[in-house]
Amino acid sequence: MNKDLNHYKNLLIKEKDLIVSELSDLAQNKGGDAWEASAVDPVDTADREDVALNIEGYQEKDEVVRVLETQLSEVEHALSKIDSGTYGICEVSGEEIEEDRLEANPSARTCKSHINEWLQA
Ligand SMILES: [Zn+2]
């Protein structure tokens, strides 16, 4: 295996910084990898529709936070694979993951032929 691990490590660290800064805008860190969406600014009226909008706004924010959290844990997972020397190995077949796939998604867990198998797992 002659992949440039430092290159991918840099990509992953950049991605991690980006995700963490997006999370910090939307949520509060609850320790470790746990984030909780911060409250939506309340609309300045007691109108029932506005209250409903606030709840909806919070739920949407919360969904974005969950997606970012998942992305963050994928990046952390990939970084730990670099440390343990298993980075770039397909988790389904144990083959090497194509470089262009890693370039497009440095935290990819599988080679191109096993993308769907991973998603269904
Ligand atoms: Zn594979």
Side-chain angles (χ1 to χ4, degrees), residues 18-37:
L18 199 73
I19 297 169
V20 169
S21 83
E22 282 179 48
L23 272 170
S24 316
D25 285 345
L26 297 168
Q28 278 157 351
N29 187 256
K30 295 285 163 187
D33 287 339
W35 294 80
E36 192 181 289

Side-chain angles (χ1 to χ4, degrees), residues 90-95 110-114:
C90 171
E91 292 185 15
V92 175
S93 63
E95 294 156 36
T110 65
C111 69
K112 288 177 190 167
S113 17
H114 295 114

Side-chain angles (χ1 to χ4, degrees), residues 37-48:
S38 42
V40 175
D41 289 337
V43 179
D44 191 16
T45 118
D47 196 305
R48 284 178 70 120

Side-chain angles (χ1 to χ4, degrees), residues 64-109:
V64 176
V65 169
R66 297 296 147 241
V67 171
L68 288 169
E69 257 183 348
T70 305
Q71 288 174 354
L72 185 60
S73 76
E74 289 299 298
V75 169
E76 304 268 17
H77 180 76
L79 282 167
S80 77
K81 280 166 76 175
I82 288 185
D83 287 339
S84 63
T86 56
Y87 182 75
I89 308 287
C90 171
E91 292 185 15
V92 175
S93 63
E95 294 156 36
E96 291 207 12
I97 301 175
E98 299 83 355
E99 301 230 2
D100 59 335
R101 170 144 163 82
L102 288 175
E103 206 61 49
N105 176 12
S107 51
R109 290 173 180 251

